[in-house]
Amino acid sequence: MVKVHRLTGTLITILAFVVFTSAFISQEQTNPRLITAIPPVQTAPLLQPDKHIRHTPRPIDNYNYPIPLGETGPLLPLFSGDLQYPFICMTEESGFQQPLVDNQHGWGMPVFKARSDRDNRNNIIGYSKDCQIPTGLVYYLIDQNNKINRYKGQPLQQNEQLVRIEYGVIHRYIYLIAMPIQRSEINKREAKSQWNQKLVYQFTGGAGIGFRQGSMQPHKLIERRVNQLKAGYAVITSGANRTSFTYNMLLSEDTARRLKKHFISLYGEPVYTVGVGGSGGGLAQYLMAQNAPGLIDGAIPLYSYPDMVSQALYALDCDLLNSYYTFKAKDRDFWQDWSKRPAIEGLNANNGEPHKGAFFQPINQALNGLMPSYPKGNSECINGWFGLYAFIHNPKQGWLRDYVSENLQQHVHWSYWQDLVNIYGKDDKGYARHIWGNEGVQYGLNALKQGQISLEQFIDLNQKIGSWKDDYQMQPERVASVPFANIKVWLSLWGHHNINEPDANQVAKRQPTDHKAVENAYRYGQIFAGKADLPILDVRHYLEDQFDMHHVSASFSARMRMKTLAGHADNQIIWVAHPDYNPVDLAFKTMDTWLLNMLDGQEMLDAKPTGLADACFDAKGQTIASGNSVWDGPWNQAENGICSDNFKVFSTSRIQAGANWLGDTFDCHRVSVEQAAHAGMYGEIDVSPVITQLKQIFPTGVCDYNQPGIAKPTDLALN
C-alpha cells in the first residue's frame, strides 16, 4: 500500500510539472501564417428533398466547360449549400503554388511574397479565403519498377509509362485528372492516344470534419492506380471526394458531377466509369450508387462501411466503454482481462501488447484518485477508434486548430456535425444537430444472457456508462505537452470529462436521439438505406487480428440493408483476403468483364461473369472457398460458412446490446422493463430482484430491437 501511495504521489508530481510547464510554453505566439478572420457567408443553393435526394432533380450546370488552362474552376456549389469558413488552403502542401489572393480584408489564409520569410507579417501581399489556383499540367513517369517521379524530358525506356496530370480547383477542392500519354503528347492537353476509353473515379478515405482543402499530391494518386494507368485507364479525383477532408456526401456528389462533366468536355464520354476507394472512399460509392444513379457504373469499395453516420453509433460507444473499464467499474480487475471485452464491445480485443494509449491510463487514474494500473492488452475500440469522439463529436476540439488563431478557435464548432450543418440543422443552442443517442440501450445484454457477465456486472455497466454531454456543455480535451520532447499526454483519457456523471440515484444520464437530425441524414443521402442497383465488388483484407477499424461485419451490414430494401443483394459480391494478397487488380478485371457484358445488352445480374460469387483468399491468392453460403454466420442467422470459419466476423456494441446486423437503428422502439422481462428479453436470467434498479437506469424503457427503429422516415420511396 505504501508503494501504491508513493507511485500515485510521483505521478501527480510529474503531471503537475508537465501541466504547468506545458501551459507556460504553449501560449500562442504571434504567427502571421494563422487564419485570424473569416468572411461573411457566401450563399449557394441547397437541395430541398421531399422524400430522398435520389428523387430530387439536380439543377442544370451552365458552366462553360472545359475549365481553361491558367484559369480557375467554378467556386460556388450547384446544390450542396453555403461555403464553409474558416477554410484552410493546402495548395502548397499538394506541391502547387500558394493560393491566389482574393481579398485584402484579412479573410482566410495569408499569401506571402514569393520566396519570402513566412514569419514576417510585412511579407503578406493579401489573403485567400477560397484557396483557388490556376488550372495547370504536370507530368510524371512510372518506371519499370513502378517508381513514380516527376518527368524531366528524357527518352522513355521499355515498360515506362508517362502520365499527364491536370490539376485545378472546383468548389475550393483540388481536383486531379491522370491520363496515360505518349512522349509526343506533352503540352497537348486533349491528347489521349493511350486511353482505353474507361474511367476510374478514385474516392479516398480518412476521418475528416471539414474546414480544410486538404493535400492532393499527384504522385500519390498515381501510386494508388499505377496498374490501371499502365493498362490505359484515365483516373479522376477531388479533395471533395476524400473523407479525410469532408464527409459531406452532398458536396462530394456536387463536385464529382462537375469534375466528370469537365473530363467529358475534354475527352468525350467514357465507355464506363468505375468507382474505387477504401474506407470512407468505399462508403462514398455505396452512397453515390444510392443518391446519384449514373455517376458511376460499377463500384469497387475497399475496406468499406455502408456509411459514416451509422458507424458513429458504436464508434462513439467505444470511449464510453473504455472510460467505464478504466475509471468506473466496480470490478476494474475483471475488465483488465481483455478477452472479456468483445462480449460487450462486439469488436475484437485480447490480452497481449499494450495499446497506444497505455502510458496515459495510470496517470489519469492517479489524477482521479484511483489505484493506477497499466493495461496489458489492446482492442479495436482503442487501436481503431482512439480519439475519434474528440475529433468528430466534440465541438470544442477538432484538431485543425493549429491553422487558426486562438481567438477564432473559440468561435468555431469543430465537429463532423458542424461540417454538415447545412444538412443536419442547428439545435436551440446554435450547435449542429447530431444523430447519436443511447437511450434504452442495454449494453452487454447478449453477454448477460450467455453467462459471460453476471447480473451485478450488467447493472453496474448500464448504471455508470452514461452518455456524452450535450454539445454546449462539452470542453476541449486536456492534452499536455511534455517539455523538450515531442510527447503529448492525455489528461482527459477517453473523454471522461465530457461524459455525464451519475445523479443522486447513482445513475448516469443517457442521451436521447434527435429525430430531426436522423430524418435529415436520411433525406439528404448521408445514410445508406440499401439502394444500390449497380455491380459491386466489396473487397477487403482481413484485419481483425490487427485490431484495425475496418472490420468485415460492415460489408454484411450493407448487404442486409440491400436485402431488406430490394429482397436480394445479388449484385454485391464480397471478397476477403489474407493481408499478404491484394485482390484489387483481379477486381478491376472482373468488373471490366461485368460492365462490358452489360454494355452488350445483358441485364445486370445476367451479366455477372461466370462463377463470380462471394469468396475468401489465402496469403498466396488461392481461393479458400467461393459460393453463396461461404460467409454465412450470425449476421444472417445461419451456421458458419467456410470463409466465416477461416476469418471470424466480429460484431459491434449495439449488436451485443440486442440490435440486428443492419446497424441502422438510431433510436429504438422501447418497452418497459416489466414488458421486456415478460417477453423473455433476458433469457434465463431472473431480473426480478433488480427491476427497480433497471427502471431507474431506463426510465423511458429498454430497446426492443424486434420492432423497427422509430427515427427513420417511412416515406423515402427508395424502392
Side-chain angles (χ1 to χ4, degrees), residues 586-602:
L586 177 60
F588 268 99
K589 293 177 182 178
T590 304
M591 181 62 73
D592 183 58
T593 301
W594 196 344
L595 292 174
L596 291 179
N597 287 345
M598 291 174 64
L599 287 170
D600 285 341
Q602 298 182 48

Side-chain angles (χ1 to χ4, degrees), residues 400-416:
L400 304 175
R401 300 186 302 168
D402 289 346
Y403 294 90
V404 177
S405 70
E406 189 170 334
N407 180 60
L408 190 55
Q409 289 173 21
Q410 312 307 315
H411 296 88
V412 177
H413 298 163
W414 305 94
S415 72
Y416 157 79

Side-chain angles (χ1 to χ4, degrees), residues 30-80:
T30 301
N31 183 350
R33 289 167 288 181
L34 297 178
I35 297 176
T36 59
I38 57 178
V41 172
Q42 291 198 62
T43 59
L46 177 67
L47 282 186
Q48 300 295 325
D50 179 26
K51 298 182 184 299
H52 189 276
I53 62 165
R54 181 184 175 94
H55 308 299
T56 307
R58 305 313 192 252
I60 296 173
D61 185 357
N62 291 316
Y63 187 89
N64 186 23
Y65 296 98
I67 303 166
L69 289 176
E71 297 187 17
T72 58
L75 172 63
L76 291 179
L78 280 173
F79 55 79
S80 52

